[in-house]
């Protein structure tokens, strides 16, 4: 045991006065390409990362979950396991667990009290899915401890429903990759059929995440507004979701929609194509092609979907300048802050780091954090 898993176990013992008997862990994720396509029934290509959330736990013989959030100043909470979701008025971290518990119980599953110590190392607000990681870690813990046998993809769907209860009408990408990731692979998710395909990430490529340290918050207007704009575009086009539309169809109806709606739809339609092309680029080990696709994705998010911010655009350009040709880099995640992802030849990593150190602070008034990762495994549960 290492890292957050070990810390969680130590903190459990300190707080609850005995050793935990279960360990659940799920990583965060980085999306390589396919942004805001998931809730349009489209395609995404994320992978799990080296950071994650750990929960150690033990049955407590009551009907209550008793929680210790190590990273939030050792904050605590407890709630009665019930099919009715009763949010805490201020402890938003606990509301994810409260919602997950009630959603699982609404399906008729019996859930009893657990003592749980939670800790994680995914930087909050970095666009690396700390909340999906929290939901899946907890959902899998409850499923395994009580023998509920909930398949990981169903835990992912429950996590998505949990986000909706907490105010974000997100898609299915984050919870699915966090649950189902495989080491050394990115996951192609068809967000309509929920079919999964593991796509090998060539071992001679590194994944670099650069956190702008401008925190993003998806629980808020902008994300849900984008989703509504997409749904509106689909309605005008007469399709179930933008997944079913082509650029020809969009151009034919251009006169029937406002300019913003047109651009939102153009992002999603072209982004779906880019995901499928990126899969080919990975399969062919074609970094130049991947670079073209990832930068086109970035420009589309910047100009058509309008979810990037100057600090993020600046980071992308700093990395492009440092690497030159073959800079496969784009913003990743929901937007409005967060992180940039780059797929790079390991020999370029030092160059990228030096360029960011030299230029980012002047542009953003803060330092960026650089994370080197590979693709990691998804959720795991262990009896201790
Ligand atoms: C957030 C959401 C996902 C997805 C991305 C954008 O991470 O949780 O469902 O929509 O934004 O691609």
């Amino acid at each position: 045991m290492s890292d957050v898993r070990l810390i969680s176990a130590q903190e459990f013992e300190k707080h609850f006065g005995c050793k935990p008997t279960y360990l659940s862990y799920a990583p965060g994720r980085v999306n390589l390409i396919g942004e805001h396509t998931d809730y349009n029934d489209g395609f995404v290509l994320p992978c799990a990362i080296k950071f994650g959330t750990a929960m150690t736990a033990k049955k407590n013989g009551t009907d209550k979950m008793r929680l210790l959030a190590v990273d939030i100043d050792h904050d605590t909470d407890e709630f009665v396991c019930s099919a009715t979701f009763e949010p805490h008025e201020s402890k938003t971290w606990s509301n994810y667990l409260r919602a997950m518990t009630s959603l699982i119980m609404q399906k008729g599953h019996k859930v009893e009290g657990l003592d749980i110590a939670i800790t994680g190392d995914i930087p909050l607000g970095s666009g690396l899915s700390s909340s999906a990681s929290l939901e899946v870690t907890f959902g899998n813990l409850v499923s395994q401890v009580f023998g509920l046998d909930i398949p990981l993809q169903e835990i992912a769907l429950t996590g998505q429903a949990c986000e909706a209860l907490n105010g974000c009408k997100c898609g299915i990408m984050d919870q699915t990759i966090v649950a189902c990731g495989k080491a050394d692979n990115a996951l192609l998710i068809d967000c309509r059929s929920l079919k999964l395909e593991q796509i090998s990430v060539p071992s001679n490529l590194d994944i670099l995440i650069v956190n702008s340290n401008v925190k993003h918050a998806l629980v808020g207007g902008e994300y849900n507004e984008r989703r509504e704009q997409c749904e509106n575009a689909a309605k005008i086009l007469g399709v179930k979701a933008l997944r079913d539309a082509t650029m020809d169809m969009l151009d034919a109806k251009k006169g029937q929609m406002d300019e913003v709606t047109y651009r939102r739809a153009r992002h999603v339609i072209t982004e779906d194509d880019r995901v499928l092309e990126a899969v080919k680029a990975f399969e062919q080990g074609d970094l130049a092609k991947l670079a073209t696709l990832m930068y086109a994705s970035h420009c589309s998010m910047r100009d058509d979907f309008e979810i990037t911010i100057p600090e993020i655009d600046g980071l992308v350009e700093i990395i492009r300048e440092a690497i030159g040709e073959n800079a496969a880099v784009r913003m990743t995640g929901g937007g409005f802050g967060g992180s940039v992802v780059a797929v790079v030849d390991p020999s370029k990593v030092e160059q990228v780091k030096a360029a960011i150190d030299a230029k980012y602070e002047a542009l953003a008034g803060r330092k960026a954090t650089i994370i080197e990762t590979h693709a990691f495994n998804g959720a795991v549960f262990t009896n201790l």
Side-chain angles (χ1 to χ4, degrees):
M1 250 203 292
S2 63
D3 56 58
V4 290
R5 292 162 250 226
L6 187 60
I7 297 171
S8 169
Q10 288 165 343
E11 294 285 343
F12 183 99
E13 203 171 338
K14 247 194 265 168
H15 185 79
F16 294 107
C18 57
K19 284 194 188 301
T21 51
Y22 309 109
L23 166 68
S24 181
Y25 175 84
R29 69 95 185 92
V30 66
N31 188 18
L32 300 177
I33 195 160
E35 224 62 81
H36 289 261
T37 44
D38 60 354
Y39 55 78
N40 289 296
D41 279 3
F43 300 97
V44 292
L45 189 65
C47 68
I49 60 171
K50 68 178 179 186
F51 295 141
T53 310
M55 294 185 190
T56 48
K58 189 174 181 183
K59 285 185 186 167
N60 62 22
T62 77
D63 61 353
K64 280 186 187 152
M65 294 291 174
R66 298 193 297 221
L67 312 173
L68 168 70
V70 175
D71 311 313
I72 306 179
D73 282 336
H74 290 78
D75 197 9
T76 57
D77 189 30
E78 62 174 51
F79 62 88
V80 173
C81 301
S82 149
T84 311
F85 173 45
E86 279 179 23
H88 190 284
E89 58 193 17
S90 60
K91 300 190 192 224
T92 47
W93 63 269
S94 169
N95 286 339
Y96 290 101
L97 279 63
R98 287 169 175 248
M100 284 299 286
T101 303
S102 58
L103 287 164
I104 290 170
M105 293 181 77
Q106 279 165 26
K107 293 200 175 124
H109 294 302
K110 192 160 179 256
V111 176
E112 290 161 23
L114 290 170
D115 289 347
I116 308 176
I118 311 162
T119 185
D121 54 5
I122 307 168
L124 302 183
S126 60
L128 303 176
S129 289
S130 53
S131 62
S133 175
L134 185 69
E135 291 146 18
V136 171
T137 304
F138 180 72
N140 200 30
L141 173 73
V142 168
S143 166
Q144 299 280 340
V145 167
F146 299 109
L148 309 180
D149 280 335
I150 308 174
L152 283 170
Q153 275 193 271
E154 199 181 314
I155 292 175
L157 286 163
T158 310
Q160 183 189 21
C162 164
E163 290 282 348
L165 280 181
N166 283 291
C168 181
K169 289 173 72 187
C170 71
I172 191 59
M173 167 171 68
D174 303 347
Q175 291 78 10
T176 303
I177 179 61
V178 156
C180 305
K182 289 265 171 297
D184 303 323
N185 286 275
L187 186 64
L188 174 64
I189 307 171
D190 178 333
C191 299
R192 170 168 281 166
S193 68
L194 299 184
K195 183 173 161 267
L196 309 182
E197 195 181 333
Q198 301 288 346
I199 307 293
S200 167
V201 177
S203 56
N204 60 344
L205 294 177
D206 268 3
I207 296 168
L208 216 59
I209 299 165
V210 187
N211 180 1
S212 68
N213 287 321
V214 179
K215 289 203 176 184
H216 86 148
L218 287 186
V219 182
E222 307 266 32
Y223 183 92
N224 292 342
E225 182 192 68
R226 291 299 182 284
R227 184 169 181 152
E228 273 163 33
Q229 290 166 332
C230 291
E231 286 165 357
N232 184 32
K235 206 187 278 168
I236 297 171
L237 296 178
V239 292
K240 182 163 177 271
L242 285 178
R243 150 78 172 268
D244 305 307
T246 62
M247 276 309 295
D248 283 347
M249 290 162 75
L250 181 64
D251 282 332
K253 296 257 170 100
K254 194 173 179 180
Q256 295 177 32
M257 60 182 78
D258 62 54
E259 190 260 336
V260 170
T261 307
Y262 175 82
R263 284 191 287 114
R264 301 292 189 256
R266 181 166 64 186
H267 164 72
V268 174
I269 294 169
T270 56
E271 184 79 349
D272 268 335
D273 289 343
R274 284 188 288 268
V275 175
L276 299 178
E277 286 301 307
V279 169
K280 289 187 203 153
F282 271 111
E283 285 167 351
Q284 295 155 358
D286 188 344
L287 189 56
K289 180 173 174 174
L290 187 67
T292 307
L293 292 164
M294 285 178 72
Y295 190 57
S297 167
H298 183 76
C299 295
S300 179
M301 291 190 285
R302 183 191 61 202
D303 303 333
D304 277 356
F305 220 62
E306 295 177 288
I307 52 172
T308 70
I309 55 169
E311 291 87 340
I312 287 279
D313 293 334
L315 266 180
V316 166
E317 296 309 330
I318 291 170
I319 297 171
R320 273 165 55 80
E321 231 177 83
I323 298 186
E325 237 180 286
N326 290 357
V329 57
R330 59 187 281 284
M331 185 197 82
T332 185
F336 310 102
S339 299
V340 154
V341 63
V343 181
V344 296
D345 188 312
S347 67
K348 306 276 182 174
V349 169
E350 289 313 313
Q351 252 160 275
V352 172
K353 283 186 180 167
I356 292 169
D357 276 351
K359 297 180 189 158
Y360 182 67
E361 198 170 356
L363 176 129
R366 68 193 80 203
K367 287 194 187 309
T369 314
I370 303 173
I371 302 161
E372 284 173 72
T373 186
H374 300 288
F376 275 70
N377 278 322
V380 277
F381 173 85
T382 320
N383 281 301
L384 296 175

